[in-house]
Amino acid sequence: DLTKGLASSQIVSNSKEGLVYFPIDNKVRLGIHVLREAIHDAVRIDEMILDKVSIKWMLLLDEVLSQTKTVSHISLSTVKNMANTIGITTASELDSALQLFHERGMIVHLTATEVLKNVIVINIQWLIDALGKVIRDGKVHTFDENEFDNVGLKQDLEILYEEAIASRDFLEYVWKDDHKEIDFFIELMKRTMLLSEYKWIASSGEKYYIIPSLLSRRYEDDVKTLTEQRRLLRCVFDFTSSFLPSGVFQRVLCLLITYDTNNRCKKEEAGFGSNDVKRKRPVLYENFGLIELEEDFTIQLLEDKESQKLTLFVEDSDHAAKSVPMIQTMIRKLNYDVMNASLTWNVFVENPVTGDLVSYEGARSENISPWFDTTTFLDENETSPMKLRDTSDTAQGVDLVSFLENLRYQ
């Protein structure tokens, strides 16, 4: 069930033995030949092996990877000097070479911002270890509380444990061994939707960040309580046609908080005072989030891993028509950016008259209110439930900042 919805390009099953994994025993070399054959077969059918690659590019790759003996990452300026020595003199050719190396998994080189573009990771384990210093199971991999107390970060550690909120001081301390790359780590986590700036803590200039994957408190109310007792309309994003991986819900929360933060900043820049754009603090749990995006426009989202569904609850019917496309587009964004477009899902909305769930497509054809009216901001092709591999989708290939900017409501 965990693999049926993943793209075939991501998963190679052990068809020879009828398994979804390759059992290996290094002591007796059990299974190694089966794995080797599967790798060879996968490489043979990969069309990219037919691409012609310049000898200069291969020389550059060898030179870059030779640095792994001493460092885990190098700067773009260092690579430019290597490229010039080899004979790669134009920025466009160097960018193309680095893009190819990144796509083939030889390096990690992200280009969304200057901070990311300037760092080329050549030892992936370094990156994993750095993120693992923050994103970790607090019950298994605990922090030394005495250590943080001694450096004056006891309260910062408590906030992280209790609310999944990390202060800039906390991040600087846990990443002290790589202090020059702290901005890189933060920017990377933002762009991969693991972290968002958090503006609801009063401070004298210190920055805070929410890391939804660290949320540990569970929300106990179920769908029935929210719909019947609180009289909230619901929309269901049903992933049973594939599966709902861990991290999808948390990334949607991250996008919602980032959207809200950006929207508030834009209004303050436009001349509104902080009191004019002041809204309720988000209520966040491991499986639930309540976020006020606009005045009287609140998103409530509940994750049910057992049923493989995300349920959106709408308090104000006036905002129902824009709530669904917003969440739909955010899921699409993370699907393309971090899931290799491997997820599929269907969308259902509640008929407020009968209480039944009907397909989003069916609700559109019947013009069921309040889900459909003239304020719906995505066209038919972008909101219909489908297998989400349509390259015309506006979430694909769009920088995250531009993507969130396009979602803003005036």
Side-chain angles (χ1 to χ4, degrees):
D1 289 343
L2 292 179
T3 60
K4 65 182 180 180
L6 289 176
S8 58
S9 61
Q10 289 183 290
I11 299 294
V12 176
S13 297
N14 186 355
S15 57
K16 188 172 183 178
E17 298 176 323
L19 301 171
V20 296
Y21 61 93
F22 292 85
I24 296 293
D25 187 338
N26 287 328
K27 291 183 178 180
V28 296
R29 299 185 64 81
L30 172 68
I32 293 178
H33 71 285
V34 177
L35 178 58
R36 183 183 293 115
E37 289 177 3
I39 293 173
H40 286 169
D41 291 342
V43 170
R44 289 192 193 100
I45 63 175
D46 188 342
E47 295 180 356
M48 292 191 72
I49 67 170
L50 302 177
D51 293 344
K52 295 180 180 180
V53 179
S54 167
I55 293 295
K56 291 188 294 184
W57 290 21
M58 297 305 298
L59 291 173
L60 175 61
L61 179 61
D62 289 342
E63 181 67 20
V64 167
L65 294 183
S66 69
Q67 304 301 309
T68 56
K69 298 176 183 178
T70 56
V71 295
S72 298
H73 60 285
I74 53 180
S75 68
L76 180 60
S77 61
T78 299
V79 175
K80 284 180 178 178
N81 291 334
M82 294 177 182
N84 285 329
T85 302
I86 293 169
I88 300 174
T89 57
T90 65
S92 60
E93 184 179 5
L94 177 58
D95 289 344
S96 297
L98 293 176
Q99 181 180 352
L100 176 65
F101 302 158
H102 172 79
E103 290 174 350
R104 303 310 288 169
M106 309 304 295
I107 63 173
V108 173
H109 185 224
L110 304 176
T111 59
T113 68
E114 287 301 313
V115 171
L116 292 175
K117 189 174 182 178
N118 191 51
V119 178
I120 297 170
V121 180
I122 56 178
N123 180 358
I124 309 302
Q125 191 61 48
W126 169 76
L127 194 57
I128 295 172
D129 291 344
L131 297 183
K133 291 178 180 179
V134 178
I135 300 179
R136 60 204 294 176
D137 187 334
K139 296 179 182 178
V140 178
H141 303 287
T142 59
F143 290 102
D144 185 338
E145 296 185 9
N146 291 330
E147 176 187 353
F148 283 87
D149 190 13
N150 291 337
V151 296
L153 293 173
K154 180 179 179 180
Q155 185 177 2
D156 298 64
L157 182 62
E158 291 174 351
I159 294 174
L160 184 75
Y161 273 142
E162 296 171 6
E163 302 185 57
I165 296 171
S167 67
R168 172 81 185 204
D169 285 348
F170 175 87
L171 295 178
E172 288 182 353
Y173 181 75
V174 297
W175 286 329
K176 59 182 181 295
D177 293 338
D178 296 290
H179 62 279
K180 293 182 179 179
E181 308 306 336
I182 290 174
D183 288 335
F184 169 76
F185 293 141
I186 292 175
E187 197 66 25
L188 175 69
M189 291 181 70
K190 283 182 180 180
R191 299 294 160 160
T192 52
M193 308 169 209
L194 296 172
L195 165 152
S196 175
E197 288 191 37
Y198 194 81
K199 300 285 190 178
W200 288 269
I201 293 182
S203 67
S204 56
E206 182 172 8
K207 289 186 177 181
Y208 289 87
Y209 305 90
I210 183 75
I211 306 174
S213 59
L214 296 181
L215 292 165
S216 57
R217 293 185 303 152
R218 288 194 61 80
Y219 187 75
E220 299 302 332
D221 284 357
D222 55 16
V223 172
K224 184 177 181 180
T225 301
L226 290 168
T227 53
E228 293 184 3
Q229 294 183 13
R230 301 191 185 181
R231 300 181 181 278
L232 301 177
L233 288 174
R234 61 193 161 128
C235 167
V236 176
F237 298 85
D238 186 345
F239 291 81
T240 53
S241 60
S242 55
F243 77 106
L244 179 59
S246 297
V248 168
F249 170 74
Q250 288 75 17
R251 281 184 163 95
V252 174
L253 288 185
C254 218
L255 285 173
L256 286 168
I257 293 172
T258 302
Y259 169 90
D260 186 23
T261 300
N262 292 351
N263 205 22
R264 290 175 51 178
C265 291
K266 290 292 183 182
K267 286 197 171 185
E268 290 180 4
E269 291 172 4
F272 292 90
S274 58
N275 291 333
D276 296 324
V277 295
K278 187 175 181 179
R279 290 192 289 276
K280 299 175 184 176
R281 181 170 176 164
V283 178
L284 303 174
Y285 293 82
E286 179 186 7
N287 60 328
F288 177 80
L290 185 154
I291 302 169
E292 187 180 28
L293 301 179
E294 299 279 354
E295 186 176 355
D296 299 324
F297 177 23
T298 299
I299 289 285
Q300 295 190 46
L301 197 64
L302 178 70
E303 178 192 40
D304 188 338
K305 290 298 295 290
E306 185 175 346
S307 67
Q308 300 287 287
K309 295 174 182 176
L310 297 180
T311 303
L312 165 69
F313 298 96
V314 178
E315 291 184 358
D316 188 340
S317 59
D318 290 341
H319 297 294
K322 64 183 179 182
S323 300
V324 180
M326 175 178 286
I327 300 299
Q328 174 87 322
T329 309
M330 287 182 173
I331 296 174
R332 280 193 170 134
K333 180 60 177 172
L334 69 89
N335 186 37
Y336 283 123
D337 284 9
V338 299
M339 296 301 299
N340 197 33
S342 62
L343 296 179
T344 61
W345 66 91
N346 292 295
V347 183
F348 301 90
V349 294
E350 181 180 348
N351 185 324
V353 177
T354 65
D356 297 330
L357 288 175
V358 297
S359 72
Y360 198 58
E361 202 168 46
R364 183 197 346 269
S365 64
E366 297 180 25
N367 200 31
I368 295 179
S369 179
W371 306 106
F372 289 95
D373 58 31
T374 56
T375 65
T376 302
F377 72 97
L378 291 181
D379 64 27
E380 179 173 346
N381 290 331
E382 291 191 28
T383 55
S384 59
M386 66 179 80
K387 192 170 184 178
L388 294 172
R389 298 184 185 278
D390 182 359
T391 57
S392 66
D393 193 302
T394 56
Q396 185 178 17
V398 179
D399 172 72
L400 185 59
V401 173
S402 299
F403 167 77
L404 292 169
E405 178 67 20
N406 290 336
L407 282 181
R408 288 185 61 238
Y409 287 91
Q410 303 302 323

